Amino acid sequence: MNVGLAVSGGGYRATAFGLGCLRALHDTGVLDQVTVVSGISGGSLLAALWAYGPADFDRFDAHVVGLLRDGLQRDLVLGTLSPVHFGRVVAGRLRSTFASGRPLATSTRFVNHRAETRPIGRQPVRNGTDVLADLLARRAFGDMTMSEVTRAGVATVLSAADLITARAVRFGSANSSSSVHGRIVEPIRVADAVAASAAYPVLLPPMQRTFTFERGGQQRRAPVTLTDGGVYDNLGLSVLEPGRSATYTGHAYQPDFIVACDAGRQEQGTSTARMWPRRLIRSFDITYRKTQDGSRARLHNARRAGQLNGFVHAYLGMRDQRLPMPIPGLVPLARVNTYPTNFAAMSEADLAAVAVRGEQLTRALLQHYVPQLLC
């Protein structure tokens, strides 16, 4: 059976909640049946750590816990304010101004004792999101590219949103592409894909790149301005939906089952939104929620139509009293619902609460909705 796994956005809250989901999937044997993983923002970090990390689950788990406990936010701020970064920003702006016609940069690495020179996406001006990418490279991924998955048989999709075309740009192990421009020719670093997917607009500037795109045998250069993939699809479900045609997209996977790890919070219902900034934010929240509700509804409809064998939605913000079954010892929603969506270091208690709730919900919902998947 083929299982598609989606890990939502939500900063470290999503990474920790998703870790709990993966623990439940591992313990029940479902994780071994995953053939495609889709990640957004904080979920893209977890998806990449699993797909490109150690094969041993305990080592993977320990690595994720270490990153969550140490945090990325402090090093990100220090790196952004460092004189080295400032110098690179100035150099980037000078290159962008005076050398726009220069050939595409290349990088060289050795494979089987043979030098390979590869083109890389141009980086016109560095910013805080590039600092995040470098930090992720040092702490987790090195210079691994999206094609270098360490888990056999698993396809990866890490999504960002392009502010120029208002469409998703999907970085994947099979291919990286834009629906507007076509397939990206250059290899993409995993660290860059995760950083682009996690560039939450309020806190991190968009990542600017110019790639070579190929469509119909023709190649052309085009710029992209990449921000958090959650702006386009915060659940990461759209790429897994049944009926996607390989004629129109490079990402059509057709899983038999889908498991969604959704770190979204429950709305408090306390905002009156009288002042215009709050009205604007709440209007965005409503549109956001409607889009997510639509994604879930399409998958439930696909299940009823027989296009999917099963769909499990483990939702952090699910009201405890609305669960389809009692869960003994469940970490209550009130304990985790207000945890922020940044990348600051998590306390041991907060990490345990968010991850354990993810594990408890996923395990119970798997048993309730798709017992045929369990070993």
Side-chain angles (χ1 to χ4, degrees):
M1 298 182 191
N2 298 326
V3 176
L5 173 62
V7 191
S8 82
Y12 262 9
R13 185 177 73 202
T15 306
F17 184 77
L19 176 61
C21 293
L22 263 65
R23 286 172 176 171
L25 294 173
H26 170 71
D27 292 345
T28 56
V30 176
L31 196 57
D32 291 336
Q33 303 175 63
V34 170
T35 57
V36 55
V37 58
S38 169
I40 303 289
S41 191
S44 72
L45 174 59
L46 181 72
L49 289 169
W50 177 68
Y52 296 90
D56 180 74
F57 188 86
D58 290 339
R59 287 182 58 204
F60 152 76
D61 192 308
H63 188 193
V64 177
V65 168
L67 284 175
L68 291 170
R69 294 285 285 118
D70 292 342
L72 294 171
Q73 199 151 291
R74 178 179 178 275
D75 288 344
L76 177 59
V77 171
L78 292 176
T80 302
L81 297 177
S82 72
V84 172
H85 172 66
F86 178 76
R88 288 175 176 173
V89 170
V90 172
R93 291 192 181 278
L94 290 174
R95 285 197 304 270
S96 178
T97 302
F98 299 110
S100 59
R102 192 168 61 184
L104 183 66
T106 61
S107 66
T108 302
R109 67 173 184 171
F110 287 88
V111 178
N112 296 328
H113 307 291
R114 180 171 58 86
E116 285 188 355
T117 301
R118 308 178 299 170
I120 58 176
R122 182 174 290 143
Q123 180 178 312
V125 179
R126 285 183 58 85
N127 58 36
T129 303
D130 295 298
V131 173
L132 174 60
D134 292 343
L135 180 58
L136 290 169
R138 291 197 304 272
R139 298 281 299 277
F141 305 113
D143 286 326
M144 293 181 73
T145 62
M146 291 298 296
S147 63
E148 298 175 298
V149 180
T150 56
R151 295 188 182 276
V154 174
T156 61
V157 188
L158 309 180
S159 297
D162 179 18
L163 294 175
I164 298 176
T165 62
R167 297 289 189 275
V169 174
R170 305 194 191 280
F171 301 109
S173 53
N175 71 83
S176 299
S177 62
S178 158
S179 63
V180 174
H181 298 303
R183 182 180 63 86
I184 298 174
V185 173
E186 293 89 357
I188 305 297
R189 284 200 319 169
V190 176
D192 289 339
V194 174
S197 180
Y200 185 59
V202 176
L203 301 175
L204 287 167
M207 176 182 282
Q208 300 176 31
R209 293 290 187 271
T210 299
F211 292 123
T212 305
F213 292 92
E214 188 275 331
R215 171 167 282 160
Q218 301 295 317
Q219 293 188 0
R220 70 184 185 92
R221 303 276 291 160
V224 292
T225 299
L226 302 172
T227 193
D228 193 316
V231 172
Y232 189 84
D233 170 21
N234 194 51
L235 297 181
L237 287 173
S238 59
V239 74
L240 303 178
E241 290 182 10
R244 290 172 63 88
S245 171
T247 303
Y248 304 105
T249 176
H251 300 282
Y253 299 98
Q254 309 298 335
D256 301 316
F257 296 83
I258 292 177
V259 177
C261 303
D262 176 4
R265 65 183 178 89
Q266 181 61 239
E267 290 293 338
Q268 299 299 300
T270 57
S271 174
T272 57
R274 291 194 180 100
M275 304 300 291
W276 75 264
R278 190 59 184 160
R279 289 201 305 271
L280 190 63
I281 293 171
R282 292 301 287 168
S283 297
F284 177 80
D285 287 343
I286 292 168
T287 303
Y288 205 62
R289 179 168 291 274
K290 181 179 178 182
T291 301
Q292 292 185 334
D293 289 347
S295 295
R296 288 188 289 262
R298 285 192 298 273
L299 291 180
H300 284 299
N301 290 336
R303 169 67 182 89
R304 285 191 288 269
Q307 296 175 298
L308 271 178
N309 292 340
F311 170 49
V312 170
H313 177 218
Y315 172 35
L316 178 143
M318 170 66 75
R319 297 183 188 276
D320 298 344
Q321 65 272 24
R322 290 190 179 181
L323 287 167
M325 80 296 289
I327 301 178
L330 176 67
V331 174
L333 172 62
R335 173 64 179 83
V336 299
N337 194 48
T338 59
Y339 191 84
T341 58
N342 55 30
F343 290 96
M346 295 186 76
S347 71
E348 185 175 353
D350 285 337
L351 170 55
V354 176
V356 169
R357 182 172 172 88
E359 183 175 358
Q360 292 172 321
L361 290 174
T362 304
R363 191 184 305 275
L365 294 172
L366 287 171
Q367 293 172 347
H368 186 80
Y369 289 113
V370 289
Q372 65 270 43
L373 271 180
L374 307 181
C375 294

